[in-house]
Every structure is written in structure tokens, then in C-alpha cells.
Amino acid sequence: LNAPEHGSDLHLALDTGVLEAPWCGQPHTLWGSGRDAMRALLAWGREHHGWRRALVPSFFCQDVVVAIARELPLVAYDDAPGQPAPAAVEADERDVVFVVNLHGARTSNPMETRAVVVEDHTHDPVSPWAFASDADWAVASLRKTLPLPDGGVLWSPRRRPSPPAAAVTSAHAAAAADRLAAMILKRLYLDGGTIVKDDFRRLAVAGEHAIALGDISGICDFSAARLASLPSRAWREARLRNHAAFVAALGELDGVAMLPGAFAATLVFERAEDRERVRAALVEQRIYPAVLWSLETPAVSGIPVEHVELSRRVLSLHCDFRYTPDDLRRVAQAVRRVTERP
Ligand SMILES: Cc1ncc(COP(=O)(O)O)c(C=O)c1O
């Protein structure tokens, strides 16, 4: 029997329910992407509060770093997935520190600072921490955990004023339409339809590339209309269950550890070449993992070499609501097989 594909981009989901999220029932704005939400806040804070500098974790998505640098000069502070807490930062009231729930592994803000705090809840937008946050502002990219083609959200746990929403730009609408088309086609493909895989991959890649490149945009109409009906609580619970099933099924494996955090099941190999070998072997079995993140072309100086090194050794297996614990047990067995093979 041909095992189903595992991983890669989310496809269209048909489940409906009620979104339960920290920004529900309080003022918030929706943006074209997480990066657009961040940029809108920074551009506004620069003008209204004289913000001068942004601080970002040293182990961070470099596309996000590039986007932030469009609005403010930026420096990296020492933080990485698996690290219990970030290093102390030297910052003042006109600095903006992005505190990131990397891989969804943290349960509260570990940062003591006089600076403006913006939390990034992308990896677990409906976590207890996000609900209990007392950050000045919080942002999340929506499409990493929810089956939406685009979207970012900005809210202020401290109920501070926030920038007004922006219109959808035509460039963003086109990118989101490509991504939505890819999600629908992938759904039909996975359901056994006669869909050419290259067709939806091409649309997904083109849409992903174009998203957040242009001017700051609002969210597309589809995502705005769909968001409130996403069963966020059930999906978070499914993710946690799947993650636990993977961890239990993987057990002890020589040369491999796991990073904390249930955004994905993230392996850390002792050697970068094993990561590459296992990744290729999993793809052959139609299991498509992710790497969060490559640091080979840094957009900020001062990334510790150990972080670059770590980024070469990590591999994330998707464990979101698309899957059952049995799916994750199957993936864990595949990881065991291909890792143990000499
Ligand atoms: C932690 C984190 N924050 C922010 C972003 C930016 O989100 P978007 O791609 O929607 O701009 C991402 C994704 O790239 C992310 O992983």
C-alpha cells in the first residue's frame, strides 16, 4: 500500500468551528503576513514614539530579519530554540525587543527589559502564554499553524493604541490568490484527484516568494472571512497529541535528540551530514520535513557560530491537525529506519 504524503505546506481544510484566540474580543488588526504586521507596528512606533532600534533573536528566520530591517536598524541578541532563556539585552525605552516563542517551547516571557516588548506568537498563537501575555504588543503569522493562504495579526495585551489597518495591495492579493489556489489543488491531489503536483507546487512557491515582498498590506478577503471559523483549540490539542505520539514512538536514537516545543517534532542530529542524509531519505518516502531556519545567508551580523552550526543539524517533522497520532508513529518509525541505516 502506498503510504500517504506527509508534511510540507498546509492544504485547504474543511473543518469549521469557532476561533478561540488571544486577540478575539479585543482590538486587533489583520495584515497580509506576520512580517507586514511587524513592519506596520514598527513604522508607526518610529513615527509616534521615536523608536530607534529593533532587537531580534540570533536564531531567527532571516526573511523576517530583512523585513524588520526595512523599518528600523536592528541587532541580534543571543537566543535559540532549546535555550532555556535569552541572554540579557542592553536596551532602553526607545528600543523594541522581539521576544519569540521559538518552536512554541516557552510558557512565558523570559525577558526582563526596559525596552518595548513585542512578542511573536507565530509558532503557537493560541498558547496559554499568548492568552496571558502582558507584552506591549504581540504579533503572529497565521498561515504557519492555520490553513490560510496568508495573514498576520497584531494586538496589544496592554491595550496600547496600535496602527490603523491597511488596504490589501494588488501585489499581495495576487500572491495570496496563488497560495490559495495551491492549497485547494493540494487538497484535491491528496484526495486522489488527477491534479499535477508540479502545478500546485509552482503556485505555492511563487505565492510564498511574493508574499511580504512589497508594500505593507492587509489580509486577503478569503483569510479574513475564514479565520473566525477555524477550530483553533481542537487543532492545538491535536498538535500536542501528535507531538507526544512522535516522541514516544521515536524513543532513544543514537546521534539524535529532540528540541523542545510542539510547533513541529524537531530532531537535532549530532552531525550535519546525518541531517542531510535523513532528510533526503525521508523525501524519498514522501515525508517532507522543514528546516527552521537556514542561517547560511545571515541578514544581521553577530549570529553566534554555534547557532549557524545548530541550524545545519535540525530537521522538523510536521505534527499539526492534518495528522493523527498513528500518522506520527509511522513517521517516527520511518525516521528510526533511515537514521539507523549505515
Ligand atoms: C517565528 C516567526 N515569526 C514571523 C514569521 C513571519 O511570518 P510571515 O511569513 O507571515 O511574514 C515567521 C515565518 O516566517 C516565523 O516563523
Side-chain angles (χ1 to χ4, degrees), residues 33-35 38 60-61 64 100 120 122-123 141 143-144 293:
S33 60
R35 282 164 284 175
M38 293 168 165
F60 198 28
C61 176
V64 179
V100 184
D120 178 347
T122 298
H123 286 172
S141 171
R143 72 181 193 289
K144 308 291 166 181
W293 295 279

Side-chain angles (χ1 to χ4, degrees), residues 5-321:
E5 280 195 31
H6 186 98
S8 194
D9 290 340
L10 296 170
H11 52 270
L12 188 77
L14 302 179
D15 319 56
T16 56
V18 176
L19 183 79
E20 293 172 60
W23 58 87
C24 293
Q26 65 161 301
H28 63 274
T29 42
L30 297 173
W31 302 87
S33 60
R35 282 164 284 175
D36 282 0
M38 293 168 165
R39 286 183 58 204
L41 176 64
L42 294 177
W44 175 87
R46 201 178 54 210
E47 194 170 316
H48 289 84
H49 299 290
W51 293 348
R52 286 188 300 211
R53 191 173 70 136
L55 292 91
V56 297
S58 43
F59 198 111
F60 198 28
C61 176
Q62 296 302 294
D63 290 339
V64 179
V65 171
V66 167
I68 291 172
R70 288 170 79 174
E71 306 303 333
L72 282 181
L74 135 175
V75 293
Y77 66 87
D78 188 336
D79 195 16
Q83 192 166 310
V89 300
E90 259 181 53
D92 68 28
E93 293 84 353
R94 296 228 245 157
D95 292 327
V96 182
V97 181
F98 283 89
V99 177
V100 184
N101 189 5
L102 291 165
H103 292 222
R106 296 221 170 102
T107 54
S108 62
N109 174 8
M111 182 86 87
E112 293 244 354
T113 177
R114 289 189 296 142
V116 176
V117 170
V118 180
E119 290 174 357
D120 178 347
H121 287 286
T122 298
H123 286 172
D124 198 358
V126 300
S127 70
W129 170 14
F131 276 97
S133 170
D134 67 350
D136 296 294
W137 286 273
V139 294
S141 171
L142 297 173
R143 72 181 193 289
K144 308 291 166 181
T145 53
L146 300 171
L148 298 174
D150 73 333
V153 59
L154 168 68
W155 76 103
S156 172
R158 287 186 181 259
R159 308 292 171 116
R160 300 187 61 173
S162 296
V168 184
T169 67
S170 54
H172 180 79
D178 278 352
R179 288 203 22 96
L180 179 58
M183 289 173 66
I184 295 168
L185 291 168
K186 182 173 181 183
R187 168 90 202 201
L188 298 173
Y189 167 83
L190 292 175
D191 286 351
T194 51
I195 300 292
V196 179
K197 183 169 189 174
D198 280 349
D199 286 346
F200 70 77
R201 285 299 304 154
R202 188 172 36 75
L203 284 162
V205 169
E208 186 60 35
H209 174 73
I211 232 162
L213 273 192
D215 292 338
I216 295 169
S217 174
I219 194 169
C220 80
D221 290 342
F222 170 80
S223 297
R226 175 68 167 115
L227 181 59
S229 68
L230 298 176
S232 52
R233 182 203 291 256
W235 282 350
R236 181 171 192 271
E237 285 165 4
R239 179 190 296 272
L240 297 178
R241 261 197 315 275
N242 290 339
H243 189 268
F246 180 92
V247 172
L250 189 71
E252 297 281 308
L253 192 53
D254 262 359
V256 186
M258 289 211 56
L259 276 186
F263 174 67
T266 300
L267 309 168
V268 190
F269 293 85
E270 274 168 18
R271 303 179 325 157
E273 55 268 36
D274 287 337
R275 195 277 303 266
E276 283 310 310
R277 180 175 63 80
V278 169
R279 171 154 73 163
L282 290 172
V283 166
E284 264 177 41
Q285 301 189 29
R286 308 203 309 154
I287 296 171
Y288 302 101
V291 170
L292 275 66
W293 295 279
S294 166
L295 298 177
E296 302 303 330
T297 42
V300 57
S301 58
I303 301 179
V305 285
E306 313 86 78
H307 291 182
V308 178
E309 231 270 302
L310 174 63
S311 76
R312 294 177 180 144
R313 297 187 291 114
V314 291
L315 194 64
S316 295
L317 286 316
H318 299 78
C319 65
D320 52 79
F321 67 90

